[in-house]
Each structure stands twice: as structure tokens, then as C-alpha cells.
Amino acid sequence: MKKWVLNLSLKKKWMVAVGLIIVISYAIISLVLYIALQTWLLNNEEKNAQRTVDDLTVFFESQGGAVTLQQLQTNTPLMKAIINQEQTVRIFNLDGIEVLRINDVTAAAPISTSLREQQSRPVELVVDGTHSYVLNTSVQIGPFQGILQLIHPLSTFDAMMNYMVTTLLIIGLGALLVAVTLSNYLADLLMKPLVQLRESMVLVRDNGFEKKGRFKYAADDEIGDLLTIYEAMLRELELAFIQQQQFVADASHELRTPIQVIEGHLSMIQRWGKDEPEVLAEGLQTSLIEIARMKKMIEELLQLARREKLDPHAKTDIIEDIETVKRELMTIYPTAIFHERVVGQMRHAAISSNALMQIMRNLFENAIRYNDQTPVIETTIHYRENDIMMTIQDNGIGIAEEHIPQIFDRFYRVDEARTKKISGTGLGLSITKMIAEKYFVKIIVKSKRGKGTIFTLYFLDK
Ligand code: ADP
């Protein structure tokens, strides 16, 4: 049963739920109403029966102590006026023989001739096929002592109750029908955007990102929220997909060049290298340089593809990390001169030590490599109120303004860097940008050709 309910479509679940809620609440309300009305009506009928008996008793008493049954028998029209048309009253003597009858709607009910067994309240019985209240009570008429039997039919009450059941049933069925129709309409309305979403998902699955469904759902509810998230997710996926395609295209293009160069040199060596030692030496030399470049490029590509994970608890001391990188670089570039200035009270930056050192390595190396003179690199670390600002200024060749926006793109190299044969892959700054974005580090570049470049970084502090 549970499985059956779970497997129903959302629309059917909704309709079953609405139907059940309406049927159950309506049944409870109807039952309460039915019982209340039944009790109230029965109570009324009982009071009517009781009143008739009381009125008759008062009437008998008012006739005085000397009245006889014969005198009363002549007076039946008066007694008929006291009792109700449908009621029947019989008076029996103590031998159980009927001595007086007012009205004759129903046959007599069984009586007990013992005075002690008479009742004070009516009881429900079926007399002569009619559902009735019967009250047997002792009566004193002048010197006569006997038993009075009142039969009060409950046919009006039964008719009322039947009428009530029929009405409740008809109203209930009507309400159920209206509710089911309304909930069907509502369910359709609610399901529409979900159906659209599904269609869009199928479209994307079958045709890729070129064909995306368009939604016409503007409401600011849970479904609207779901659609917004889905659309944002789709955009991100599409972007990642395009970037990945671009990356593969760029990587294979960039790797093709060194391979072609090596291929050319190797075929030259094959043809002439055995006889001409200079061709052999030059060919091997160039091939080794190209292989080294390829190696670096592959390492950097892997780094980009791996994408460092953000460590939310990361923190590091910038000054210490810069010292480490400086020491490392001075072994490779012994002529480089580093100056450092610190402003403000030292605080930790919200970035991992590894990530920061990688950024610094790329920026320092660029400052040294893209330089015609003895490289002088000035670093300022400014601990400000809300962040940490760092500037790295070099006396290098600078970057023309039109190139600045592109230097962070993958494989982008300024022509000058290529013509001056400064080795590089064009990936260093894209890795820097990727790491910086992960740790919410903002980078701004200012440069003048022939004068030098300033990289300004803003770190969040911890
Ligand atoms: P790579 O150094 O491997 O070529 P990068 O991504 O690190 O790649 O740099 C991209 C380009 O930006 C470089 O080729 C160079 O033309 C330019 N560039 C980066 N830093 C500097 C700098 N400090 N001075 C001058 N040019 C720079």
C-alpha cells in the first residue's frame, strides 16, 4: 500500500490527499451534527410523550375523587384534545383488561400488571411495525386504580433523520466532486513549471547546451526558486563546458608548436646530423629547450586542471612566505635585488601559505624575467583597516596598456615577450588569477612600457 502511494504521480498524490482530507473532515462534521440533532430531537419527542401523560394525569385529578370510568368514557372528545393525533392512550385495569381507549392509531404494546413494574420514562419499542416511544405508568381515576399506556410514534423523527442523512450524503458527494475538480486544476497549474523544467532537461540532455528550454514562470515561490537555481546551474555548466573545450583546444594548439619544432630538428639530425656535428649539436640543443618548455607547460596545465580547493580556515603570514620565495629565487637569479616595506601591524591573510607562495613565485619571476636591466623588485605590505594591500613594483620592460586586460588569459603572451625570446608558456598569470579568485584576492595591474609594472593585491585578513 505504502509503495503504491509512493509510486503515484505527484498530481495523483495531491488529489488523493485532498480527497481524503475532505472525506474525513466532512465525515467527522456530519457525524457530530447527526448525533447532536438525533439527541435533541429524541429529547423533544420524549418531553412530548411525558407532557401528554402529565396533562392526562392532571385532567384525571381535576375530575374529583368521585369520578367513574363511565363518566370519563363519555368525555373522550375532551381527552382527544389533550393528546396528540398520532398518539394512542389505553387504560388497563390491574387484570390487564383494556377499559378505556383514546385514539386508535397503533395496537397495544405488552404491559405488566404489577404496579411496581411501571416506568417513569418512555422506552423505545417497535409496536405494530412502528418505531415508537412507549410509556406504561400507574393511574388513579376516582376510586379506580389502573395502568395507563401511551404509544408515541417516532415516525416524524425517523423521517427527519432519514432526510438529514440523504442531505448530508448529497452535499458531501457534491463537495468531494467540486474539491477533486478544483484540486485537479490546481495540480495542473502547479505541475506546469515542473513539466516545463523536465522538457528543458530532456532538451539539454539530447542536444547539449545549444537548445535550452525557456520558462515562463515568474512567481516568487519555491518552484520559481528551483527554476532560478536550475537556470544558474545550467549557465555555470555551460560556461565550464565552453571553458573546458577552449582549454583543450588551446592546450593542443600550444603543445603542437614545440612538437613540430622538435620533429623538424630531429629529421634534420637524421639527414645531416651524422656528418655535420654543428647541425647535430644545435638540433639537440633546441630540442632540449623545447622539451623543457613542454614539460613546464604540461606541469602548469595539470595545475590549472587540478584547481586548488579552498581551505576556509587557511591563514598565513605574508612576510614569512615572501622571504621563503625570495630565498628560493635568489639561487636561480642571483642578480635580482629585492626591497621590502611593511606598513601597519602584522596580521594573517586569509589564504593558504602554498597558494600565496605560488602567486608570489609567478609575480616575482615575471618581474625578473621581463626585465632588460638588473631586476629591482620593491614589495610593500600595507596592513590596512579592512584588508591587506600588497604592491609589487619592478623596473622591467612594462606592458603596453592594450595588452593588460589579456595577460591573465591562458597562453596569452605579449608579442614582445615572444620576440625577445623570453621563455614562457603564458599560463603563469592564469594560474595566479585562478588561485587569487579562490581566496577572494583582488589583483590590479598598472604598467608603463619601458618603465616597469606594478601589481597590487588585496587580501582578506583573518
Ligand atoms: P609567461 O610568463 O609564461 O609568458 P604569464 O601568464 O606569467 O606567462 O604572463 C603573460 C604575459 O604577460 C607574459 O608573456 C608577459 O608578456 C606579460 N607580463 C607578465 N608579467 C610581466 C611583467 N612583470 N613585466 C612585463 N610583462 C609581463
Side-chain angles (χ1 to χ4, degrees):
M1 174 70 181
K2 197 176 160 197
K3 203 163 171 222
W4 176 80
V5 172
L6 281 177
N7 285 339
L8 281 179
S9 71
L10 270 183
K11 185 177 161 182
K12 281 193 183 130
K13 270 187 205 138
W14 163 273
M15 285 178 55
V16 167
V18 168
L20 271 179
I21 289 172
I22 290 199
V23 165
I24 292 172
S25 21
Y26 186 77
I28 292 173
I29 293 172
S30 304
L31 201 72
V32 170
L33 208 74
Y34 182 86
I35 292 174
L37 194 76
Q38 190 193 40
T39 318
W40 183 74
L41 282 178
L42 261 185
N43 208 9
N44 259 1
E45 298 287 348
E46 188 184 332
K47 270 189 201 148
N48 280 347
Q50 198 87 47
R51 194 179 314 119
T52 308
V53 173
D54 290 347
D55 287 353
L56 275 177
T57 316
V58 171
F59 172 75
F60 293 146
E61 279 168 5
S62 69
Q63 299 299 308
V67 71
T68 59
L69 274 174
Q70 286 72 19
Q71 281 168 331
L72 278 183
Q73 270 160 353
T74 56
N75 232 348
T76 32
L78 198 67
M79 290 190 290
K80 266 192 178 160
I82 293 174
I83 75 167
N84 181 317
Q85 281 181 359
E86 288 137 27
Q87 292 172 330
T88 307
V89 173
R90 290 190 174 83
I91 294 175
F92 299 90
N93 64 17
L94 292 178
D95 297 325
I97 296 172
E98 184 180 325
V99 287
L100 184 82
R101 186 185 302 163
I102 316 166
N103 269 0
D104 190 12
V105 188
T106 327
I111 54 156
S112 156
T113 47
S114 155
L115 278 177
R116 261 181 289 122
E117 283 172 32
Q118 303 313 316
Q119 315 129 343
S120 58
R121 293 190 61 180
V123 284
E124 256 182 280
L125 279 178
V126 177
V127 185
D128 205 10
T130 316
H131 179 210
S132 316
Y133 258 153
V134 175
L135 179 60
N136 292 322
T137 181
S138 53
V139 68
Q140 181 83 40
I141 305 168
F144 173 79
Q145 174 113 53
I147 292 148
L148 182 145
Q149 180 178 68
L150 169 82
I151 298 175
H152 175 97
L154 291 170
S155 34
T156 320
F157 163 80
D158 285 341
M160 278 286 276
M161 290 327 283
N162 281 341
Y163 177 74
M164 169 114 173
V165 169
T166 320
T167 316
L168 283 177
L169 265 179
I170 290 172
I171 294 177
L173 280 176
L176 188 68
L177 212 74
V178 171
V180 167
T181 318
L182 257 175
S183 74
N184 186 24
Y185 171 74
L186 252 173
D188 273 345
L189 207 71
L190 279 171
M191 294 304 293
K192 211 169 128 194
L194 286 183
V195 172
Q196 274 185 14
L197 182 65
R198 188 187 174 277
E199 279 167 5
S200 157
M201 284 173 162
V202 170
L203 258 178
V204 172
R205 185 194 63 192
D206 295 345
N207 306 297
F209 292 105
E210 293 92 57
K211 278 194 184 166
K212 274 175 286 176
R214 283 275 140 248
F215 305 117
K216 284 170 237 87
Y217 196 79
D220 190 16
D221 56 11
E222 284 83 350
I223 291 179
D225 191 38
L226 189 76
L227 293 185
T228 319
I229 292 175
Y230 170 71
E231 282 188 325
M233 217 171 71
L234 215 59
R235 269 198 303 277
E236 235 166 76
L237 265 179
E238 189 180 10
L239 205 72
F241 183 68
I242 292 171
Q243 274 176 349
Q244 194 210 9
Q245 276 185 330
Q246 183 70 37
F247 181 74
V248 171
D250 286 351
S252 47
H253 177 260
E254 293 295 320
L255 282 171
R256 198 174 296 135
T257 321
I259 289 175
Q260 278 169 346
V261 174
I262 295 169
E263 196 182 23
H265 279 281
L266 285 181
S267 52
M268 272 209 325
I269 292 171
Q270 195 185 35
R271 249 179 272 159
W272 298 295
K274 282 161 259 163
D275 313 318
E276 292 179 44
E278 305 95 75
V279 175
L280 180 68
E282 201 206 315
L284 286 177
Q285 172 74 10
T286 325
S287 302
L288 277 174
I289 292 173
E290 289 301 319
I291 285 174
R293 201 162 91 84
M294 258 169 63
K295 195 175 139 199
K296 187 163 194 303
M297 195 183 286
I298 289 168
E299 272 166 13
E300 289 183 337
L301 278 173
L302 283 176
Q303 215 166 18
L304 267 177
R306 257 202 307 273
R307 294 180 162 259
E308 172 165 350
K309 273 216 180 80
L310 170 88
D311 172 6
H313 306 294
K315 63 172 186 178
T316 192
D317 178 353
I318 298 185
I319 303 175
E320 231 171 61
D321 290 341
I322 289 183
E323 278 308 314
T324 314
V325 177
K326 248 167 51 182
R327 250 180 277 127
E328 216 179 273
L329 289 179
M330 268 146 76
T331 57
I332 317 171
Y333 308 100
T335 53
I337 299 166
F338 289 94
H339 289 308
E340 233 172 79
R341 202 163 70 89
V342 178
V343 183
Q345 183 63 40
M346 179 289 207
R347 288 198 313 271
H348 284 114
I351 182 169
S352 78
S353 172
N354 252 342
L356 178 73
M357 288 206 282
Q358 195 152 13
I359 293 178
M360 299 314 298
R361 219 173 275 133
N362 284 339
L363 296 181
F364 282 164
E365 261 205 293
N366 282 354
I368 298 168
R369 283 160 50 232
Y370 299 106
N371 208 317
D372 291 336
Q373 328 166 33
T374 309
V376 179
I377 300 135
E378 283 181 44
T379 313
T380 312
I381 301 155
H382 191 166
Y383 293 103
R384 308 195 304 173
E385 201 176 323
N386 296 317
D387 60 4
I388 305 167
M389 182 175 86
M390 172 157 76
T391 55
I392 300 145
Q393 183 167 10
D394 65 47
N395 57 342
I397 58 174
I399 311 162
E401 205 165 327
E402 67 266 27
H403 295 301
I404 293 180
Q406 280 106 285
I407 57 171
F408 289 99
D409 292 351
R410 275 174 192 155
F411 301 110
Y412 188 82
R413 304 199 70 209
V414 178
D415 287 341
E416 213 177 334
R418 293 183 196 273
T419 49
K420 288 197 172 186
K421 297 229 165 132
I422 300 171
S423 73
T425 56
L427 288 171
L429 285 182
S430 42
I431 294 172
T432 302
K433 185 179 158 210
M434 180 192 80
I435 301 171
E437 274 176 356
K438 195 129 281 173
Y439 287 97
F440 309 105
V441 177
K442 207 169 99 187
I443 305 180
I444 289 172
V445 185
K446 274 199 192 126
S447 189
K448 255 214 173 91
R449 281 197 62 198
K451 285 255 156 82
T453 310
I454 307 175
F455 278 86
T456 311
L457 282 73
Y458 299 88
F459 295 92
L460 298 181
D461 55 7
K462 200 76 180 177

